[in-house]
Amino acid sequence: QVQLAESGGGSVQSGGSLRLSCVVFGYTGSSYCQAWFRQAPGKEREIVAAIDSHGTTDMADSVKGRFTISQDNAKKMVYLQMNGLKPEDTAMYYCAAQKTVQYSGTCLGLMFYGNWGQGTQVTVSS
């Protein structure tokens, strides 16, 4: 059973930085997508960034140039470095993972992620 656990959320002022971490337990398989999603109150959940098993990354337009996703396979960790934070980045952030089989699309476009963490809150004040 795959389990994910996020950490690193908190409260910062506009323009500040945070790094979110996600540890992935119990995952097996050589081909996968890992991603960060966020959901603000009253809004739909949206994907923020994704990375595949080859290390290819993809970022949502709303965070390009400010956020970076990375992974450390030896430590089974996925990170989201967030710089230049804005109040509109305030949300609960979730780490997600999904094994892929013969998938030729991007992880940002993957329609189903079956494994989720509990979320970590990010609050940006103006």
Side-chain angles (χ1 to χ4, degrees):
Q1 181 178 0
V2 179
Q3 294 182 314
L4 298 87
E6 306 95 334
S7 61
S11 298
V12 297
Q13 291 190 329
S14 183
S17 298
L18 283 173
R19 188 176 84 153
L20 305 183
S21 300
C22 174
V23 59
V24 184
F25 299 100
Y27 182 80
T28 60
S30 59
S31 183
Y32 57 82
C33 286
Q34 295 182 122
W36 287 95
F37 288 76
R38 68 184 180 187
Q39 186 166 22
K43 294 188 177 181
E44 291 188 357
R45 184 175 62 195
E46 63 173 344
I47 191 166
V48 173
I51 187 166
D52 68 15
S53 47
H54 304 290
T56 301
T57 63
D58 206 356
M59 315 298 294
D61 288 343
S62 58
V63 303
K64 276 182 181 176
R66 300 188 297 123
F67 291 12
T68 304
I69 188 172
S70 61
Q71 62 188 359
D72 185 329
N73 291 331
K75 296 181 179 179
K76 300 186 184 301
M77 297 289 293
V78 183
Y79 304 100
L80 185 68
Q81 178 66 44
M82 305 185 293
N83 300 326
L85 283 162
K86 305 175 182 180
E88 51 263 43
D89 295 318
T90 295
M92 185 71 78
Y93 283 72
Y94 298 90
C95 179
Q98 178 61 40
K99 182 178 179 179
T100 57
V101 179
Q102 296 182 329
Y103 176 67
S104 59
T106 65
C107 289
L108 204 67
L110 185 64
M111 297 302 294
F112 177 75
Y113 280 83
N115 304 289
W116 294 83
Q118 80 288 351
T120 185
Q121 178 67 37
V122 172
T123 302
V124 185
S125 58
S126 58

